[in-house]
Amino acid sequence: LALDFLDAFREMAEDGKSRLFSGSALELHIHCHCFAREKDHPELEINPRILAALGHVPSKIRYREVRDVAPKKNMYCVEFCLDLDANDEGAAAAAKRARVGPP
């Protein structure tokens, strides 16, 4: 996943809930690949891009160097988790389905 596509998770990151995975709590592991010029402190270049796409920079984030592509162009894998609670609407619908039975 590229950093530019993190906006797809913005609502989940802000609410801490997901309509996609309704009814169950989960920990969503996200891995993004990106490039940075700064080798000693890539987070100085990467974090503003995460902030722009996701709305915040996750607290437990890991920057792993993948390889040097060219001078001043280093590839990194940025890894973090989003902890998502069960969506109340989805949990209610799942409970109703369990009571009623299959269609």
Side-chain angles (χ1 to χ4, degrees):
L1 182 67
L3 291 178
D4 297 337
F5 299 121
L6 280 177
D7 62 343
F9 299 105
R10 189 176 195 128
E11 185 179 332
M12 286 187 240
E14 290 172 354
D15 298 344
K17 297 180 189 268
S18 170
R19 282 185 256 149
L20 179 63
F21 303 108
S22 61
S24 55
L26 60 101
E27 185 177 68
L28 188 62
H29 295 266
I30 298 176
H31 302 265
C32 297
H33 286 85
C34 61
F35 297 100
R37 294 174 190 239
E38 181 62 42
K39 191 168 182 141
D40 293 331
H41 299 284
E43 67 275 4
L44 297 177
E45 188 175 342
I46 297 171
N47 282 357
R49 294 165 51 199
I50 293 172
L51 180 63
L54 195 58
H56 77 283
V57 177
S59 57
K60 294 180 181 178
I61 191 167
R62 183 173 168 229
Y63 309 90
R64 183 172 49 85
E65 184 178 354
V66 176
R67 66 186 182 107
D68 289 340
V69 177
K72 298 284 187 180
K73 189 169 186 177
N74 305 294
M75 179 183 257
Y76 291 91
C77 180
V78 180
E79 304 167 342
F80 60 91
C81 294
L82 290 178
D83 292 318
L84 302 175
D85 295 329
N87 185 336
D88 295 334
E89 295 171 12
K96 183 178 178 182
R97 283 192 302 271
R99 285 192 311 267
V100 174

PDB file of all heavy atoms in Angstrom, residues 20-60:
ATOM      1  N   LEU A  20     -16.905  -1.740   7.512  1.00  0.00           N
ATOM      2  CA  LEU A  20     -16.520  -2.885   6.697  1.00  0.00           C
ATOM      3  C   LEU A  20     -16.452  -4.164   7.531  1.00  0.00           C
ATOM      4  O   LEU A  20     -16.896  -5.219   7.108  1.00  0.00           O
ATOM      5  CB  LEU A  20     -15.166  -2.620   6.034  1.00  0.00           C
ATOM      6  CG  LEU A  20     -14.594  -3.714   5.151  1.00  0.00           C
ATOM      7  CD1 LEU A  20     -15.507  -3.969   3.961  1.00  0.00           C
ATOM      8  CD2 LEU A  20     -13.207  -3.332   4.672  1.00  0.00           C
ATOM      9  N   PHE A  21     -15.890  -4.074   8.731  1.00  0.00           N
ATOM     10  CA  PHE A  21     -15.744  -5.232   9.612  1.00  0.00           C
ATOM     11  C   PHE A  21     -16.701  -5.108  10.785  1.00  0.00           C
ATOM     12  O   PHE A  21     -16.336  -5.327  11.922  1.00  0.00           O
ATOM     13  CB  PHE A  21     -14.307  -5.331  10.122  1.00  0.00           C
ATOM     14  CG  PHE A  21     -13.287  -5.402   9.028  1.00  0.00           C
ATOM     15  CD1 PHE A  21     -12.459  -4.333   8.757  1.00  0.00           C
ATOM     16  CD2 PHE A  21     -13.162  -6.548   8.259  1.00  0.00           C
ATOM     17  CE1 PHE A  21     -11.519  -4.400   7.755  1.00  0.00           C
ATOM     18  CE2 PHE A  21     -12.227  -6.619   7.252  1.00  0.00           C
ATOM     19  CZ  PHE A  21     -11.401  -5.539   6.988  1.00  0.00           C
ATOM     20  N   SER A  22     -17.939  -4.763  10.531  1.00  0.00           N
ATOM     21  CA  SER A  22     -18.904  -4.497  11.599  1.00  0.00           C
ATOM     22  C   SER A  22     -19.164  -5.752  12.429  1.00  0.00           C
ATOM     23  O   SER A  22     -19.148  -6.863  11.926  1.00  0.00           O
ATOM     24  CB  SER A  22     -20.207  -3.968  11.009  1.00  0.00           C
ATOM     25  OG  SER A  22     -20.766  -4.920  10.142  1.00  0.00           O
ATOM     26  N   GLY A  23     -19.398  -5.507  13.700  1.00  0.00           N
ATOM     27  CA  GLY A  23     -19.757  -6.595  14.593  1.00  0.00           C
ATOM     28  C   GLY A  23     -18.600  -7.254  15.289  1.00  0.00           C
ATOM     29  O   GLY A  23     -18.804  -8.069  16.178  1.00  0.00           O
ATOM     30  N   SER A  24     -17.363  -6.938  14.922  1.00  0.00           N
ATOM     31  CA  SER A  24     -16.235  -7.572  15.595  1.00  0.00           C
ATOM     32  C   SER A  24     -15.085  -6.587  15.754  1.00  0.00           C
ATOM     33  O   SER A  24     -14.796  -5.805  14.857  1.00  0.00           O
ATOM     34  CB  SER A  24     -15.773  -8.808  14.816  1.00  0.00           C
ATOM     35  OG  SER A  24     -15.490  -8.464  13.488  1.00  0.00           O
ATOM     36  N   ALA A  25     -14.461  -6.649  16.913  1.00  0.00           N
ATOM     37  CA  ALA A  25     -13.281  -5.822  17.163  1.00  0.00           C
ATOM     38  C   ALA A  25     -12.090  -6.500  16.502  1.00  0.00           C
ATOM     39  O   ALA A  25     -12.026  -7.724  16.408  1.00  0.00           O
ATOM     40  CB  ALA A  25     -13.054  -5.680  18.659  1.00  0.00           C
ATOM     41  N   LEU A  26     -11.160  -5.706  16.013  1.00  0.00           N
ATOM     42  CA  LEU A  26      -9.983  -6.274  15.384  1.00  0.00           C
ATOM     43  C   LEU A  26      -8.829  -5.281  15.402  1.00  0.00           C
ATOM     44  O   LEU A  26      -9.010  -4.096  15.647  1.00  0.00           O
ATOM     45  CB  LEU A  26     -10.274  -6.723  13.954  1.00  0.00           C
ATOM     46  CG  LEU A  26     -10.746  -5.663  12.969  1.00  0.00           C
ATOM     47  CD1 LEU A  26      -9.605  -5.227  12.085  1.00  0.00           C
ATOM     48  CD2 LEU A  26     -11.842  -6.238  12.117  1.00  0.00           C
ATOM     49  N   GLU A  27      -7.664  -5.822  15.142  1.00  0.00           N
ATOM     50  CA  GLU A  27      -6.462  -5.006  15.027  1.00  0.00           C
ATOM     51  C   GLU A  27      -6.023  -5.089  13.566  1.00  0.00           C
ATOM     52  O   GLU A  27      -5.672  -6.162  13.086  1.00  0.00           O
ATOM     53  CB  GLU A  27      -5.380  -5.547  15.964  1.00  0.00           C
ATOM     54  CG  GLU A  27      -4.144  -4.697  15.994  1.00  0.00           C
ATOM     55  CD  GLU A  27      -3.134  -5.230  16.990  1.00  0.00           C
ATOM     56  OE1 GLU A  27      -2.588  -6.319  16.753  1.00  0.00           O
ATOM     57  OE2 GLU A  27      -2.903  -4.546  17.992  1.00  0.00           O
ATOM     58  N   LEU A  28      -6.106  -3.981  12.877  1.00  0.00           N
ATOM     59  CA  LEU A  28      -5.783  -3.924  11.458  1.00  0.00           C
ATOM     60  C   LEU A  28      -4.314  -3.547  11.300  1.00  0.00           C
ATOM     61  O   LEU A  28      -3.899  -2.482  11.723  1.00  0.00           O
ATOM     62  CB  LEU A  28      -6.687  -2.886  10.790  1.00  0.00           C
ATOM     63  CG  LEU A  28      -6.659  -2.783   9.285  1.00  0.00           C
ATOM     64  CD1 LEU A  28      -7.109  -4.088   8.655  1.00  0.00           C
ATOM     65  CD2 LEU A  28      -7.556  -1.648   8.825  1.00  0.00           C
ATOM     66  N   HIS A  29      -3.518  -4.451  10.733  1.00  0.00           N
ATOM     67  CA  HIS A  29      -2.092  -4.205  10.515  1.00  0.00           C
ATOM     68  C   HIS A  29      -1.916  -3.587   9.133  1.00  0.00           C
ATOM     69  O   HIS A  29      -2.344  -4.166   8.138  1.00  0.00           O
ATOM     70  CB  HIS A  29      -1.299  -5.511  10.597  1.00  0.00           C
ATOM     71  CG  HIS A  29      -1.334  -6.134  11.943  1.00  0.00           C
ATOM     72  ND1 HIS A  29      -0.352  -5.915  12.878  1.00  0.00           N
ATOM     73  CD2 HIS A  29      -2.239  -6.948  12.525  1.00  0.00           C
ATOM     74  CE1 HIS A  29      -0.646  -6.573  13.975  1.00  0.00           C
ATOM     75  NE2 HIS A  29      -1.798  -7.209  13.788  1.00  0.00           N
ATOM     76  N   ILE A  30      -1.274  -2.434   9.096  1.00  0.00           N
ATOM     77  CA  ILE A  30      -1.091  -1.711   7.838  1.00  0.00           C
ATOM     78  C   ILE A  30       0.394  -1.609   7.529  1.00  0.00           C
ATOM     79  O   ILE A  30       1.194  -1.270   8.392  1.00  0.00           O
ATOM     80  CB  ILE A  30      -1.732  -0.311   7.913  1.00  0.00           C
ATOM     81  CG1 ILE A  30      -3.236  -0.467   8.138  1.00  0.00           C
ATOM     82  CG2 ILE A  30      -1.436   0.494   6.657  1.00  0.00           C
ATOM     83  CD1 ILE A  30      -3.974   0.813   8.324  1.00  0.00           C
ATOM     84  N   HIS A  31       0.730  -1.920   6.286  1.00  0.00           N
ATOM     85  CA  HIS A  31       2.108  -1.833   5.797  1.00  0.00           C
ATOM     86  C   HIS A  31       2.096  -0.945   4.557  1.00  0.00           C
ATOM     87  O   HIS A  31       1.382  -1.241   3.600  1.00  0.00           O
ATOM     88  CB  HIS A  31       2.638  -3.217   5.421  1.00  0.00           C
ATOM     89  CG  HIS A  31       2.604  -4.197   6.544  1.00  0.00           C
ATOM     90  ND1 HIS A  31       3.682  -4.434   7.344  1.00  0.00           N
ATOM     91  CD2 HIS A  31       1.599  -4.980   7.014  1.00  0.00           C
ATOM     92  CE1 HIS A  31       3.356  -5.332   8.259  1.00  0.00           C
ATOM     93  NE2 HIS A  31       2.081  -5.681   8.062  1.00  0.00           N
ATOM     94  N   CYS A  32       2.874   0.133   4.593  1.00  0.00           N
ATOM     95  CA  CYS A  32       2.955   1.059   3.458  1.00  0.00           C
ATOM     96  C   CYS A  32       4.395   1.132   2.975  1.00  0.00           C
ATOM     97  O   CYS A  32       5.319   1.170   3.778  1.00  0.00           O
ATOM     98  CB  CYS A  32       2.531   2.468   3.870  1.00  0.00           C
ATOM     99  SG  CYS A  32       0.847   2.589   4.414  1.00  0.00           S
ATOM    100  N   HIS A  33       4.558   1.189   1.677  1.00  0.00           N
ATOM    101  CA  HIS A  33       5.880   1.382   1.109  1.00  0.00           C
ATOM    102  C   HIS A  33       5.974   2.796   0.562  1.00  0.00           C
ATOM    103  O   HIS A  33       5.023   3.303  -0.041  1.00  0.00           O
ATOM    104  CB  HIS A  33       6.149   0.351   0.006  1.00  0.00           C
ATOM    105  CG  HIS A  33       6.400  -1.012   0.558  1.00  0.00           C
ATOM    106  ND1 HIS A  33       5.381  -1.885   0.859  1.00  0.00           N
ATOM    107  CD2 HIS A  33       7.547  -1.622   0.911  1.00  0.00           C
ATOM    108  CE1 HIS A  33       5.903  -2.995   1.356  1.00  0.00           C
ATOM    109  NE2 HIS A  33       7.206  -2.867   1.395  1.00  0.00           N
ATOM    110  N   CYS A  34       7.118   3.419   0.795  1.00  0.00           N
ATOM    111  CA  CYS A  34       7.308   4.799   0.353  1.00  0.00           C
ATOM    112  C   CYS A  34       8.797   5.072   0.181  1.00  0.00           C
ATOM    113  O   CYS A  34       9.639   4.244   0.525  1.00  0.00           O
ATOM    114  CB  CYS A  34       6.696   5.774   1.359  1.00  0.00           C
ATOM    115  SG  CYS A  34       7.432   5.658   2.995  1.00  0.00           S
ATOM    116  N   PHE A  35       9.079   6.244  -0.323  1.00  0.00           N
ATOM    117  CA  PHE A  35      10.464   6.674  -0.522  1.00  0.00           C
ATOM    118  C   PHE A  35      10.735   7.906   0.327  1.00  0.00           C
ATOM    119  O   PHE A  35       9.839   8.703   0.585  1.00  0.00           O
ATOM    120  CB  PHE A  35      10.716   7.016  -1.994  1.00  0.00           C
ATOM    121  CG  PHE A  35      10.556   5.836  -2.902  1.00  0.00           C
ATOM    122  CD1 PHE A  35       9.396   5.650  -3.623  1.00  0.00           C
ATOM    123  CD2 PHE A  35      11.562   4.891  -3.035  1.00  0.00           C
ATOM    124  CE1 PHE A  35       9.227   4.564  -4.460  1.00  0.00           C
ATOM    125  CE2 PHE A  35      11.417   3.795  -3.862  1.00  0.00           C
ATOM    126  CZ  PHE A  35      10.249   3.637  -4.583  1.00  0.00           C
ATOM    127  N   ALA A  36      11.984   8.032   0.754  1.00  0.00           N
ATOM    128  CA  ALA A  36      12.422   9.207   1.503  1.00  0.00           C
ATOM    129  C   ALA A  36      13.876   9.495   1.135  1.00  0.00           C
ATOM    130  O   ALA A  36      14.649   8.582   0.864  1.00  0.00           O
ATOM    131  CB  ALA A  36      12.293   8.983   2.995  1.00  0.00           C
ATOM    132  N   ARG A  37      14.205  10.765   1.129  1.00  0.00           N
ATOM    133  CA  ARG A  37      15.579  11.166   0.823  1.00  0.00           C
ATOM    134  C   ARG A  37      16.479  11.036   2.040  1.00  0.00           C
ATOM    135  O   ARG A  37      17.624  10.655   1.941  1.00  0.00           O
ATOM    136  CB  ARG A  37      15.610  12.613   0.344  1.00  0.00           C
ATOM    137  CG  ARG A  37      14.916  12.823  -0.961  1.00  0.00           C
ATOM    138  CD  ARG A  37      14.864  14.307  -1.280  1.00  0.00           C
ATOM    139  NE  ARG A  37      13.993  14.523  -2.399  1.00  0.00           N
ATOM    140  CZ  ARG A  37      14.366  15.087  -3.528  1.00  0.00           C
ATOM    141  NH1 ARG A  37      15.584  15.536  -3.659  1.00  0.00           N
ATOM    142  NH2 ARG A  37      13.524  15.227  -4.500  1.00  0.00           N
ATOM    143  N   GLU A  38      15.935  11.390   3.199  1.00  0.00           N
ATOM    144  CA  GLU A  38      16.701  11.406   4.442  1.00  0.00           C
ATOM    145  C   GLU A  38      16.867   9.990   4.980  1.00  0.00           C
ATOM    146  O   GLU A  38      15.889   9.316   5.292  1.00  0.00           O
ATOM    147  CB  GLU A  38      15.980  12.282   5.474  1.00  0.00           C
ATOM    148  CG  GLU A  38      16.681  12.409   6.787  1.00  0.00           C
ATOM    149  CD  GLU A  38      18.037  13.066   6.701  1.00  0.00           C
ATOM    150  OE1 GLU A  38      18.165  14.071   5.969  1.00  0.00           O
ATOM    151  OE2 GLU A  38      18.974  12.576   7.355  1.00  0.00           O
ATOM    152  N   LYS A  39      18.101   9.529   5.078  1.00  0.00           N
ATOM    153  CA  LYS A  39      18.349   8.165   5.533  1.00  0.00           C
ATOM    154  C   LYS A  39      18.441   8.069   7.058  1.00  0.00           C
ATOM    155  O   LYS A  39      18.031   7.079   7.646  1.00  0.00           O
ATOM    156  CB  LYS A  39      19.628   7.635   4.892  1.00  0.00           C
ATOM    157  CG  LYS A  39      19.818   6.158   5.085  1.00  0.00           C
ATOM    158  CD  LYS A  39      20.921   5.623   4.212  1.00  0.00           C
ATOM    159  CE  LYS A  39      21.024   4.137   4.425  1.00  0.00           C
ATOM    160  NZ  LYS A  39      21.294   3.398   3.245  1.00  0.00           N
ATOM    161  N   ASP A  40      18.961   9.105   7.702  1.00  0.00           N
ATOM    162  CA  ASP A  40      19.137   9.061   9.154  1.00  0.00           C
ATOM    163  C   ASP A  40      17.820   9.221   9.913  1.00  0.00           C
ATOM    164  O   ASP A  40      17.628   8.600  10.957  1.00  0.00           O
ATOM    165  CB  ASP A  40      20.124  10.139   9.607  1.00  0.00           C
ATOM    166  CG  ASP A  40      21.536   9.857   9.105  1.00  0.00           C
ATOM    167  OD1 ASP A  40      21.881   8.673   8.924  1.00  0.00           O
ATOM    168  OD2 ASP A  40      22.289  10.819   8.876  1.00  0.00           O
ATOM    169  N   HIS A  41      16.934  10.072   9.424  1.00  0.00           N
ATOM    170  CA  HIS A  41      15.643  10.315  10.069  1.00  0.00           C
ATOM    171  C   HIS A  41      14.528  10.354   9.021  1.00  0.00           C
ATOM    172  O   HIS A  41      13.972  11.404   8.738  1.00  0.00           O
ATOM    173  CB  HIS A  41      15.674  11.633  10.850  1.00  0.00           C
ATOM    174  CG  HIS A  41      16.699  11.657  11.931  1.00  0.00           C
ATOM    175  ND1 HIS A  41      16.532  10.996  13.116  1.00  0.00           N
ATOM    176  CD2 HIS A  41      17.923  12.234  11.986  1.00  0.00           C
ATOM    177  CE1 HIS A  41      17.597  11.174  13.870  1.00  0.00           C
ATOM    178  NE2 HIS A  41      18.456  11.915  13.206  1.00  0.00           N
ATOM    179  N   PRO A  42      14.162   9.205   8.458  1.00  0.00           N
ATOM    180  CA  PRO A  42      13.135   9.193   7.406  1.00  0.00           C
ATOM    181  C   PRO A  42      11.775   9.664   7.906  1.00  0.00           C
ATOM    182  O   PRO A  42      10.973  10.172   7.136  1.00  0.00           O
ATOM    183  CB  PRO A  42      13.090   7.736   6.961  1.00  0.00           C
ATOM    184  CG  PRO A  42      13.604   6.964   8.128  1.00  0.00           C
ATOM    185  CD  PRO A  42      14.614   7.855   8.783  1.00  0.00           C
ATOM    186  N   GLU A  43      11.519   9.528   9.204  1.00  0.00           N
ATOM    187  CA  GLU A  43      10.220   9.933   9.749  1.00  0.00           C
ATOM    188  C   GLU A  43       9.957  11.425   9.574  1.00  0.00           C
ATOM    189  O   GLU A  43       8.810  11.844   9.490  1.00  0.00           O
ATOM    190  CB  GLU A  43      10.092   9.539  11.222  1.00  0.00           C
ATOM    191  CG  GLU A  43      11.008  10.267  12.168  1.00  0.00           C
ATOM    192  CD  GLU A  43      12.408   9.650  12.293  1.00  0.00           C
ATOM    193  OE1 GLU A  43      12.722   8.684  11.588  1.00  0.00           O
ATOM    194  OE2 GLU A  43      13.176  10.165  13.111  1.00  0.00           O
ATOM    195  N   LEU A  44      11.016  12.233   9.475  1.00  0.00           N
ATOM    196  CA  LEU A  44      10.833  13.669   9.265  1.00  0.00           C
ATOM    197  C   LEU A  44      10.184  13.963   7.913  1.00  0.00           C
ATOM    198  O   LEU A  44       9.460  14.943   7.769  1.00  0.00           O
ATOM    199  CB  LEU A  44      12.174  14.398   9.374  1.00  0.00           C
ATOM    200  CG  LEU A  44      12.868  14.329  10.733  1.00  0.00           C
ATOM    201  CD1 LEU A  44      14.224  15.022  10.678  1.00  0.00           C
ATOM    202  CD2 LEU A  44      11.993  14.914  11.817  1.00  0.00           C
ATOM    203  N   GLU A  45      10.418  13.114   6.957  1.00  0.00           N
ATOM    204  CA  GLU A  45       9.829  13.276   5.630  1.00  0.00           C
ATOM    205  C   GLU A  45       8.538  12.467   5.474  1.00  0.00           C
ATOM    206  O   GLU A  45       7.606  12.886   4.781  1.00  0.00           O
ATOM    207  CB  GLU A  45      10.844  12.830   4.572  1.00  0.00           C
ATOM    208  CG  GLU A  45      10.450  13.112   3.165  1.00  0.00           C
ATOM    209  CD  GLU A  45      11.529  12.756   2.164  1.00  0.00           C
ATOM    210  OE1 GLU A  45      12.708  12.614   2.551  1.00  0.00           O
ATOM    211  OE2 GLU A  45      11.187  12.603   0.989  1.00  0.00           O
ATOM    212  N   ILE A  46       8.454  11.330   6.143  1.00  0.00           N
ATOM    213  CA  ILE A  46       7.313  10.431   5.978  1.00  0.00           C
ATOM    214  C   ILE A  46       6.115  10.851   6.831  1.00  0.00           C
ATOM    215  O   ILE A  46       4.974  10.811   6.367  1.00  0.00           O
ATOM    216  CB  ILE A  46       7.736   8.981   6.295  1.00  0.00           C
ATOM    217  CG1 ILE A  46       8.797   8.519   5.289  1.00  0.00           C
ATOM    218  CG2 ILE A  46       6.542   8.040   6.298  1.00  0.00           C
ATOM    219  CD1 ILE A  46       9.449   7.193   5.640  1.00  0.00           C
ATOM    220  N   ASN A  47       6.346  11.268   8.070  1.00  0.00           N
ATOM    221  CA  ASN A  47       5.241  11.603   8.975  1.00  0.00           C
ATOM    222  C   ASN A  47       4.292  12.678   8.443  1.00  0.00           C
ATOM    223  O   ASN A  47       3.080  12.528   8.584  1.00  0.00           O
ATOM    224  CB  ASN A  47       5.765  11.992  10.353  1.00  0.00           C
ATOM    225  CG  ASN A  47       6.158  10.793  11.178  1.00  0.00           C
ATOM    226  OD1 ASN A  47       6.000   9.652  10.755  1.00  0.00           O
ATOM    227  ND2 ASN A  47       6.697  11.030  12.356  1.00  0.00           N
ATOM    228  N   PRO A  48       4.781  13.765   7.833  1.00  0.00           N
ATOM    229  CA  PRO A  48       3.829  14.744   7.281  1.00  0.00           C
ATOM    230  C   PRO A  48       2.918  14.153   6.201  1.00  0.00           C
ATOM    231  O   PRO A  48       1.753  14.536   6.084  1.00  0.00           O
ATOM    232  CB  PRO A  48       4.725  15.839   6.705  1.00  0.00           C
ATOM    233  CG  PRO A  48       6.000  15.729   7.465  1.00  0.00           C
ATOM    234  CD  PRO A  48       6.156  14.268   7.752  1.00  0.00           C
ATOM    235  N   ARG A  49       3.416  13.202   5.449  1.00  0.00           N
ATOM    236  CA  ARG A  49       2.597  12.560   4.418  1.00  0.00           C
ATOM    237  C   ARG A  49       1.550  11.639   5.048  1.00  0.00           C
ATOM    238  O   ARG A  49       0.410  11.548   4.573  1.00  0.00           O
ATOM    239  CB  ARG A  49       3.501  11.801   3.454  1.00  0.00           C
ATOM    240  CG  ARG A  49       4.380  12.771   2.666  1.00  0.00           C
ATOM    241  CD  ARG A  49       5.548  12.147   1.953  1.00  0.00           C
ATOM    242  NE  ARG A  49       5.220  11.012   1.134  1.00  0.00           N
ATOM    243  CZ  ARG A  49       6.136  10.129   0.731  1.00  0.00           C
ATOM    244  NH1 ARG A  49       7.403  10.263   1.075  1.00  0.00           N
ATOM    245  NH2 ARG A  49       5.788   9.123  -0.012  1.00  0.00           N
ATOM    246  N   ILE A  50       1.919  10.965   6.139  1.00  0.00           N
ATOM    247  CA  ILE A  50       0.952  10.132   6.859  1.00  0.00           C
ATOM    248  C   ILE A  50      -0.118  11.019   7.476  1.00  0.00           C
ATOM    249  O   ILE A  50      -1.310  10.718   7.401  1.00  0.00           O
ATOM    250  CB  ILE A  50       1.659   9.291   7.942  1.00  0.00           C
ATOM    251  CG1 ILE A  50       2.577   8.262   7.292  1.00  0.00           C
ATOM    252  CG2 ILE A  50       0.642   8.605   8.852  1.00  0.00           C
ATOM    253  CD1 ILE A  50       3.457   7.507   8.264  1.00  0.00           C
ATOM    254  N   LEU A  51       0.298  12.113   8.077  1.00  0.00           N
ATOM    255  CA  LEU A  51      -0.635  13.053   8.699  1.00  0.00           C
ATOM    256  C   LEU A  51      -1.634  13.601   7.683  1.00  0.00           C
ATOM    257  O   LEU A  51      -2.828  13.673   7.952  1.00  0.00           O
ATOM    258  CB  LEU A  51       0.137  14.193   9.360  1.00  0.00           C
ATOM    259  CG  LEU A  51      -0.680  15.261  10.060  1.00  0.00           C
ATOM    260  CD1 LEU A  51      -1.456  14.659  11.217  1.00  0.00           C
ATOM    261  CD2 LEU A  51       0.222  16.372  10.553  1.00  0.00           C
ATOM    262  N   ALA A  52      -1.156  13.949   6.506  1.00  0.00           N
ATOM    263  CA  ALA A  52      -2.035  14.494   5.466  1.00  0.00           C
ATOM    264  C   ALA A  52      -3.062  13.456   4.993  1.00  0.00           C
ATOM    265  O   ALA A  52      -4.218  13.787   4.733  1.00  0.00           O
ATOM    266  CB  ALA A  52      -1.205  14.987   4.288  1.00  0.00           C
ATOM    267  N   ALA A  53      -2.656  12.216   4.898  1.00  0.00           N
ATOM    268  CA  ALA A  53      -3.559  11.178   4.377  1.00  0.00           C
ATOM    269  C   ALA A  53      -4.459  10.579   5.454  1.00  0.00           C
ATOM    270  O   ALA A  53      -5.650  10.364   5.223  1.00  0.00           O
ATOM    271  CB  ALA A  53      -2.740  10.067   3.723  1.00  0.00           C
ATOM    272  N   LEU A  54      -3.922  10.330   6.651  1.00  0.00           N
ATOM    273  CA  LEU A  54      -4.660   9.610   7.688  1.00  0.00           C
ATOM    274  C   LEU A  54      -5.308  10.536   8.712  1.00  0.00           C
ATOM    275  O   LEU A  54      -6.251  10.150   9.376  1.00  0.00           O
ATOM    276  CB  LEU A  54      -3.710   8.635   8.388  1.00  0.00           C
ATOM    277  CG  LEU A  54      -4.305   7.538   9.260  1.00  0.00           C
ATOM    278  CD1 LEU A  54      -5.269   6.663   8.473  1.00  0.00           C
ATOM    279  CD2 LEU A  54      -3.199   6.693   9.853  1.00  0.00           C
ATOM    280  N   GLY A  55      -4.786  11.746   8.850  1.00  0.00           N
ATOM    281  CA  GLY A  55      -5.342  12.677   9.835  1.00  0.00           C
ATOM    282  C   GLY A  55      -4.565  12.704  11.132  1.00  0.00           C
ATOM    283  O   GLY A  55      -4.709  13.613  11.930  1.00  0.00           O
ATOM    284  N   HIS A  56      -3.752  11.718  11.369  1.00  0.00           N
ATOM    285  CA  HIS A  56      -2.858  11.678  12.529  1.00  0.00           C
ATOM    286  C   HIS A  56      -1.749  10.664  12.251  1.00  0.00           C
ATOM    287  O   HIS A  56      -1.856   9.854  11.333  1.00  0.00           O
ATOM    288  CB  HIS A  56      -3.617  11.311  13.811  1.00  0.00           C
ATOM    289  CG  HIS A  56      -3.943   9.849  13.928  1.00  0.00           C
ATOM    290  ND1 HIS A  56      -4.967   9.259  13.223  1.00  0.00           N
ATOM    291  CD2 HIS A  56      -3.368   8.868  14.659  1.00  0.00           C
ATOM    292  CE1 HIS A  56      -5.009   7.974  13.521  1.00  0.00           C
ATOM    293  NE2 HIS A  56      -4.044   7.707  14.387  1.00  0.00           N
ATOM    294  N   VAL A  57      -0.695  10.747  13.046  1.00  0.00           N
ATOM    295  CA  VAL A  57       0.393   9.783  12.940  1.00  0.00           C
ATOM    296  C   VAL A  57       0.214   8.784  14.079  1.00  0.00           C
ATOM    297  O   VAL A  57       0.200   9.175  15.245  1.00  0.00           O
ATOM    298  CB  VAL A  57       1.772  10.482  13.037  1.00  0.00           C
ATOM    299  CG1 VAL A  57       2.891   9.462  12.988  1.00  0.00           C
ATOM    300  CG2 VAL A  57       1.932  11.497  11.918  1.00  0.00           C
ATOM    301  N   PRO A  58       0.029   7.505  13.775  1.00  0.00           N
ATOM    302  CA  PRO A  58      -0.166   6.507  14.829  1.00  0.00           C
ATOM    303  C   PRO A  58       0.993   6.497  15.824  1.00  0.00           C
ATOM    304  O   PRO A  58       2.140   6.775  15.469  1.00  0.00           O
ATOM    305  CB  PRO A  58      -0.233   5.180  14.062  1.00  0.00           C
ATOM    306  CG  PRO A  58      -0.655   5.570  12.689  1.00  0.00           C
ATOM    307  CD  PRO A  58      -0.040   6.909  12.438  1.00  0.00           C
ATOM    308  N   SER A  59       0.681   6.153  17.074  1.00  0.00           N
ATOM    309  CA  SER A  59       1.694   6.225  18.127  1.00  0.00           C
ATOM    310  C   SER A  59       2.770   5.141  17.993  1.00  0.00           C
ATOM    311  O   SER A  59       3.941   5.424  18.158  1.00  0.00           O
ATOM    312  CB  SER A  59       1.031   6.139  19.503  1.00  0.00           C
ATOM    313  OG  SER A  59       0.286   4.953  19.600  1.00  0.00           O
ATOM    314  N   LYS A  60       2.384   3.934  17.709  1.00  0.00           N
ATOM    315  CA  LYS A  60       3.361   2.846  17.592  1.00  0.00           C
ATOM    316  C   LYS A  60       3.605   2.568  16.116  1.00  0.00           C
ATOM    317  O   LYS A  60       2.983   1.692  15.522  1.00  0.00           O
ATOM    318  CB  LYS A  60       2.852   1.592  18.298  1.00  0.00           C
ATOM    319  CG  LYS A  60       2.733   1.767  19.789  1.00  0.00           C
ATOM    320  CD  LYS A  60       2.220   0.504  20.435  1.00  0.00           C
ATOM    321  CE  LYS A  60       2.074   0.694  21.924  1.00  0.00           C
ATOM    322  NZ  LYS A  60       1.524  -0.494  22.573  1.00  0.00           N
TER     323      LYS A  60
END
